[in-house]
């Protein structure tokens, strides 16, 4: 896991990239947002201060991700934002609050642009994700720079 950085001035939320990514970089990439306060399982566990900061955090990360990947050669047309937690139910594990940011590249191969994203269970479809590549250190550094300019 690589932490990209904080998404708000009070450090309530941070962005990170995991080696296990749902969308490969060439199709648009995958970044996660999480609350920094431990023990948050779902959005309803956020306090008022966190709820108020969440919209700005989402907006900043969306802008930075789209700009950085486009600059670095991935033609990002939009960012899909999803609050999932489905697999914690499927695998009967403790959920944790996480919002996923999926870049949607116009010329994507595995996740066709304009169609719904497809995320089969990695337990039953382990080969589906095996060749997915996370965003690069170059992408991460540019996203960091862009985020710092926004705060």
């Amino acid at each position: 896991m690589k932490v990209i950085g904080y998404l708000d001035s009070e450090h309530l939320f941070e962005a990170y990239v995991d080696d296990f990514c749902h969308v490969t970089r060439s199709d648009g990439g995958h970044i996660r947002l999480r609350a920094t306060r431990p023990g948050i399982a779902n959005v309803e566990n956020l306090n008022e201060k966190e709820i108020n900061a969440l919209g700005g955090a989402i907006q900043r990360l969306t802008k930075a991700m789209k700009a950085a990947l486009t600059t670095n050669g991935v033609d990002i047309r939009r960012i899909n934002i999803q609050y999932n937690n489905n697999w914690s139910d499927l695998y009967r594990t403790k959920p944790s609050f996480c919002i996923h940011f999926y870049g949607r590249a116009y010329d994507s191969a595995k996740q066709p642009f304009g169609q719904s994203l497809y995320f089969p269970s990695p337990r039953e479809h382990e080969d589906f994700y095996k060749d997915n590549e996370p965003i690069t250190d170059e992408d991460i550094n540019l996203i960091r720079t862009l985020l710092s300019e926004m705060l």
Side-chain angles (χ1 to χ4, degrees):
M1 176 181 64
K2 294 179 183 178
V3 174
I4 295 173
Y6 294 111
L7 300 172
D8 59 282
S9 60
E10 296 191 44
H11 298 182
L12 301 173
F13 298 100
E14 68 182 357
Y16 68 100
V17 177
D18 202 299
D19 287 335
F20 176 70
C21 56
H22 301 164
V23 175
T24 194
R25 181 186 182 273
S26 61
D27 276 7
H30 176 202
I31 297 177
R32 295 167 170 95
L33 172 155
R34 68 179 172 197
T36 56
R37 184 169 56 91
I40 298 175
N42 296 296
V43 70
E44 58 266 23
N45 300 129
L46 296 173
N47 62 38
E48 185 176 349
K49 189 178 198 179
E50 291 162 336
I51 288 292
N52 289 334
L54 185 58
I58 289 170
Q59 183 183 47
R60 284 185 284 281
L61 183 54
T62 299
K63 286 181 179 181
M65 181 181 181
K66 186 175 182 180
L69 284 161
T70 298
T71 297
N72 290 339
V74 181
D75 186 14
I76 301 294
R77 296 298 175 105
R78 74 177 63 254
I79 305 290
N80 285 161
I81 302 163
Q82 292 184 208
Y83 169 63
N84 297 337
N85 266 344
N86 304 28
W87 291 340
S88 64
D89 295 334
L90 184 64
Y91 301 141
R92 301 186 192 288
T93 59
K94 183 179 178 183
S96 62
F97 175 75
C98 179
I99 296 177
H100 301 263
F101 292 69
Y102 302 114
R104 302 304 307 270
Y106 185 71
D107 59 352
S108 60
K110 197 171 189 178
Q111 299 282 356
F113 184 75
Q115 295 184 27
S116 297
L117 290 164
Y118 175 64
F119 301 128
S121 163
R123 186 177 287 169
E124 288 81 22
H125 302 275
E126 58 190 53
D127 288 346
F128 184 82
Y129 301 96
K130 74 176 181 163
D131 295 325
N132 284 2
E133 296 180 3
I135 64 173
T136 65
D137 288 343
E138 183 180 1
D139 300 325
I140 290 169
N141 290 332
L142 183 51
I143 291 168
R144 283 181 183 141
T145 299
L146 294 169
L147 287 170
S148 69
E149 292 171 0
M150 291 181 213
L151 292 178

